[in-house]
Amino acid sequence: MPSANVRISPESRETLRRLASEAGESMQGVLERAIETYRRERFLRAANVEFAALKPNSKAWRELVAEQRRWDRTADDGLDPIWANIRPA
């Protein structure tokens, strides 16, 4: 896998080193997980903004909820049942 050098402050490097040591992981592994967590957080925040913008439009919101309920029926498809408890806001 190609690699790249990224400059971070000495304080951030020390935090990364400490986190990796505490977790028993490599600094690269901790950094990659942190980046993925940050990416997911940004995605979910953007999705929340879009849902909030849609909610005042009652017709569009009802259509979305109806579609989510149709998808909920797939909960008996053998997937982990934890997902069956998720409901639209």
Side-chain angles (χ1 to χ4, degrees):
M1 165 174 43
S3 64
N5 293 325
V6 177
R7 294 181 191 268
I8 60 174
S9 70
E11 294 83 7
S12 292
R13 185 186 187 289
E14 179 55 27
T15 300
L16 179 59
R17 187 205 59 74
R18 189 174 62 252
L19 289 169
S21 176
E22 290 170 0
E25 298 181 32
S26 68
M27 289 181 10
Q28 179 179 341
V30 171
L31 185 57
E32 287 173 353
R33 216 159 20 112
I35 291 168
E36 178 59 13
T37 299
Y38 180 67
R39 184 195 66 79
R40 289 176 185 215
E41 179 183 308
R42 287 181 46 102
F43 172 83
L44 291 174
R45 284 186 185 192
N48 285 339
V49 166
E50 295 299 323
F51 280 119
L54 184 63
K55 201 166 188 175
N57 181 335
S58 60
K59 181 179 185 291
W61 186 255
R62 282 192 309 274
E63 289 173 0
L64 173 66
V65 170
E67 181 179 352
Q68 288 173 335
R69 287 187 179 137
R70 286 191 298 273
W71 279 104
D72 282 348
R73 287 187 225 141
T74 65
D76 289 331
D77 62 2
L79 294 176
D80 187 337
I82 190 171
W83 298 109
N85 297 323
I86 297 175
R87 296 284 177 250

